[in-house]
């Protein structure tokens, strides 16, 4: 019975994997299709990727995504690290409530977050563009950074910091030479995760983007509305590959982070 149950669970797991990844595999396959008609395979070609890099609009959307992603990720990482350190080292009367409020953007539906930010920017008369996109991306990605770094700080404990202070280190020296080096893999992983979220975001960006701040996901959406073409498949494939690579690197840093401390 146990063997049969194991086979059933294994088969179900494989079925779910096929259900999740078969559409992505088909999209990647047809990005190399020589025909513009996705339903017909007429040969292997790289021309859709070549035409992408010759497309000025695609390059502009890519530049916007990278600029917004890097700036928002740096800000989210700095703010998330500072907030995690403050929560760990200072006794807050309403710690659980503060944690809940900080992590709330993770569970709020993105469409609600995007609408709320749009209303906020409209009320303060801020013109939609790269600045509003950066602010929005910092808002939803900072909690993810805090989850990673807070977990790292919880595993680290207070022993090493207390030992450094007993040996004469000031609080700043303890932070600079003990705490930050120990949590640096977590900081890097948080940055990479934040950059991945920023690069992939569509719903929130759709609400707060201006006419001259189109990102790659928004550009892909515009292409899809005119009909799915191999260029859309090629661009989506590049976005998927970039995301997967960033997630893998972030996971490697997270695993390295979990093995760093020895007492």
């Amino acid at each position: 019975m146990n063997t049969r149950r194991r086979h059933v669970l294994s088969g179900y797991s494989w079925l779910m994997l096929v259900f999740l990844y078969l559409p992505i595999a088909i999209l990647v396959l047809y990005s190399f299709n020589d025909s513009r008609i996705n339903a017909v395979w007429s040969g292997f070609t790289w021309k859709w990727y070549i035409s992408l890099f010759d497309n000025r609009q695609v390059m502009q959307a890519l530049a916007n995504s990278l600029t917004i992603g890097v700036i928002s990720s740096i800000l989210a990482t700095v703010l998330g690290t500072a907030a995690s350190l403050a929560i760990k080292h200072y006794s807050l009367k309403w710690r659980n409530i503060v944690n809940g409020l900080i992590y709330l953007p993770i569970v709020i539906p993105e469409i609600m977050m995007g609408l709320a930010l749009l209303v906020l920017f409209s009320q303060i008369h801020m013109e939609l563009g790269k600045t509003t996109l950066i602010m929005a991306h910092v808002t939803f990605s900072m909690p993810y950074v805090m989850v990673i770094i807070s977990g790292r700080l919880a595993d680290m404990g207070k022993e090493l910091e207390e030992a450094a202070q007993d040996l004469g280190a000031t609080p700043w020296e303890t932070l600079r030479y003990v705490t930050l080096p120990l949590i640096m893999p977590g900081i890097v992983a948080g940055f990479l995760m934040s950059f991945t979220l920023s690069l992939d975001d569509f719903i929130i960006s759709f609400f707060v983007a201006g006419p001259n701040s189109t990102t790659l996901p928004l550009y892909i959406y515009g292409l899809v509305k005119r009909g799915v073409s191999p260029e859309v498949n090629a661009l989506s494939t590049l976005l998927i590959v970039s995301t997967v690579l960033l997630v893998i690197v972030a996971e490697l840093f997270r695993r390295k982070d979990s093995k760093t401390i020895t007492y």
Side-chain angles (χ1 to χ4, degrees), residues 58-122:
V58 172
M59 293 296 99
Q60 183 61 48
L62 175 61
N64 288 339
S65 289
L66 293 178
T67 301
I68 294 166
V70 170
I71 296 176
S72 65
S73 299
I74 292 174
L75 292 175
T77 303
V78 172
L79 294 175
T81 302
S84 299
L85 290 170
I87 291 175
K88 178 179 184 293
H89 289 93
Y90 296 98
S91 298
L92 299 176
K93 184 177 180 180
W94 308 103
R95 180 187 296 268
N96 292 333
I97 297 177
V98 171
N99 284 333
L101 291 174
I102 291 174
Y103 298 147
L104 193 60
I106 296 178
V107 297
I108 289 180
E110 288 190 350
I111 191 168
M112 293 178 59
M113 176 71 73
L115 182 59
L117 289 170
L118 176 61
V119 172
L120 172 64
F121 295 141
S122 299

Side-chain angles (χ1 to χ4, degrees), residues 123-134:
Q123 290 295 319
I124 63 177
H125 305 289
M126 179 175 287
E127 183 180 358
L128 299 181
K130 291 182 180 179
T131 301
T132 55
L133 273 171
I134 290 172

Side-chain angles (χ1 to χ4, degrees), residues 38-49:
N38 284 326
V40 179
W41 178 265
S42 59
F44 183 89
T45 182
W46 290 95
K47 66 181 181 181
W48 307 116
Y49 289 89

